[in-house]
């Protein structure tokens, strides 16, 4: 029996080249991976690490999640997020507004345990009852957002294994630019944009409508079970998505032993991974 080694990998969204934002996004992924890694080094759980990393990305306006989220056709922010552990605890929120950190709200849904997915005003009511303060809708809208959503989607995600071999996945997004109000993408749908199980975890990015049809996160984790590495599983899953939908997407993965991998068919997808005993590695 090989002992698991802790590992974390984050993504900052698959999409078109992000021009002058390119380096800022890579730096944001590095900072978020370090934040999550510190949680693991402090002996906290993979869920804690994933939540901490995604909170950092939600607070960074260079990404399409939390502050800086895309606007829908009504000029409003509606965000989706999900968090899941390898023991199949899951919490997710869809089409929520006025919440600074949707991934934290997803964590509270997971901990509450009655439901897996809460949407819209019901999710915001749950946040209020859980003591999560709301912020004015404008607080999440950045001046450069229109420029940014011409360039890239910028969903964020993280998967990790902690020192005790616990596995977790999380994803957060403002969704696609100019989406119809009420549109929900792959991110909060367990198995589509986010999945964790005994074999490993996956977080997806890209066109939600294609990712949902391929149940891409669960498909990716299932592919680990055939003896593939996370890199091979991610490549195979993205290849299947390309073949069957023609859509654009990316996936980051970790297996139960702490090996990481990723693949995408977009122009770029900033990622950063940290594994035990190694320096952080960043890439597009
Ligand atoms: N992948 C994010 C979305 O389509 O909403």
């Amino acid at each position: 029996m090989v002992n698991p080694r802790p590992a974390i990998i984050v993504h900052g969204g698959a999409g078109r080249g992000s021009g002058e934002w390119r380096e800022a996004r890579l730096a944001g992924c590095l900072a978020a991976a370090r934040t999550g890694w510190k949680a693991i080094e402090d002996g906290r759980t993979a869920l804690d690490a994933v939540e901490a990393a995604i909170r950092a990305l939600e607070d960074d306006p260079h990404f399409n999640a939390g502050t800086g989220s895309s606007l829908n056709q009504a000029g409003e922010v509606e965000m989706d997020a999900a968090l899941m552990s390898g023991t199949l605890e899951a919490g997710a929120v869809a089409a929520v507004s006025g919440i600074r950190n949707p991934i934290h709200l997803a964590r509270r849904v997971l901990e509450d345990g009655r439901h897996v997915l809460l949407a819209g005003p019901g999710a915001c009511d749950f946040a209020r009852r859980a003591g999560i303060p709301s912020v004015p809708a404008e607080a999440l809208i950045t001046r450069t957002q229109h420029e940014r959503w011409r360039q890239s989607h910028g969903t964020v995600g993280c998967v990790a294994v902690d020192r005790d071999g616990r596995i977790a996945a999380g994803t957060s997004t403002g969704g696609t630019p100019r989406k119809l109000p009420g549109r929900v993408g792959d991110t909060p749908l367990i198995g589509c944009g986010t999945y964790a199980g005994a074999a490993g975890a996956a977080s997806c990015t890209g066109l939600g409508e294609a990712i949902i049809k391929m149940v891409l996160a669960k498909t990716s984790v299932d592919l680990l079970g055939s003896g593939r590495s996370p890199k091979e599983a991610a490549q195979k899953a993205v290849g299947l998505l390309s073949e069957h939908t023609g859509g654009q997407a990316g996936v980051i993965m970790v297996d139960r032993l702490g090996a990481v991998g990723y693949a995408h068919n977009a122009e770029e997808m900033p990622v950063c991974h940290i594994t035990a005993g190694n320096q952080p590695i960043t890439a597009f």
Side-chain angles (χ1 to χ4, degrees):
M1 167 81 183
V2 183
N3 287 329
R5 289 161 65 84
I8 190 165
I9 176 167
V10 306
H11 71 73
R16 292 195 294 278
S18 52
E20 66 193 62
W21 288 48
R22 206 164 183 258
E23 294 311 315
R25 282 189 170 158
L26 209 54
C29 286
L30 174 62
R34 283 193 162 130
T35 298
W37 188 248
K38 182 171 185 317
I40 289 172
E41 286 194 318
D42 289 347
R44 293 164 64 200
T45 67
L47 267 183
D48 291 334
V50 168
E51 182 188 346
I54 292 180
R55 281 180 86 125
L57 291 162
E58 288 175 338
D59 289 341
D60 184 333
H62 295 102
F63 298 99
N64 174 17
T67 302
S69 286
S70 292
L71 303 182
N72 64 17
Q73 279 191 7
E76 299 158 347
V77 167
E78 285 187 334
M79 301 165 289
D80 303 334
L83 192 62
M84 185 172 188
S85 76
T87 51
L88 306 186
E89 296 169 299
V93 292
V96 294
S97 304
I99 301 291
R100 188 174 295 280
N101 292 110
I103 197 69
H104 180 59
L105 184 53
R107 175 74 182 259
R108 299 299 288 267
V109 173
L110 181 155
E111 288 170 347
D112 180 76
R114 280 176 291 176
H115 305 295
V116 169
L117 173 60
L118 293 178
C124 296
D125 284 348
F126 176 86
R128 273 189 288 282
R129 287 195 303 275
I132 296 174
S134 61
V135 295
E138 316 81 66
L140 303 174
I141 299 174
T142 56
R143 275 185 299 153
T144 48
Q145 182 175 60
H146 290 273
E147 174 60 19
R148 197 197 56 186
W149 45 255
R150 273 202 298 275
Q151 295 175 337
S152 174
H153 289 164
T155 291
V156 303
C158 177
V159 295
V161 177
D162 65 30
R163 295 197 300 197
D164 295 317
R166 289 172 294 219
I167 298 166
T171 316
S172 181
T173 189
T176 48
R178 300 185 197 89
K179 63 187 178 182
L180 289 174
R183 179 263 187 190
V184 173
D186 58 296
T187 295
L189 304 182
I190 297 303
C192 295
T194 309
Y195 192 75
S203 167
C204 300
T205 165
L207 182 62
E209 282 69 11
I211 294 169
I212 290 168
K213 291 172 189 165
M214 294 303 294
V215 198
L216 191 65
K218 176 71 161 60
T219 297
S220 303
V221 173
D222 285 349
L223 285 164
L224 285 173
S226 321
R228 292 183 184 86
S229 68
K231 181 181 174 184
E232 291 166 342
Q235 286 173 336
K236 178 76 178 165
V238 171
L240 287 169
L241 177 133
S242 299
E243 182 186 334
H244 292 288
T245 72
Q248 197 174 70
V251 56
I252 55 170
M253 299 189 68
V254 66
D255 72 11
R256 65 188 178 83
L257 298 178
V260 299
Y262 61 92
H264 65 88
N265 63 1
E267 224 170 84
E268 65 181 36
M269 179 177 82
V271 297
C272 179
H273 52 95
I274 307 177
T275 50
N278 297 307
Q279 290 297 312
I281 294 176
T282 53
F284 285 105

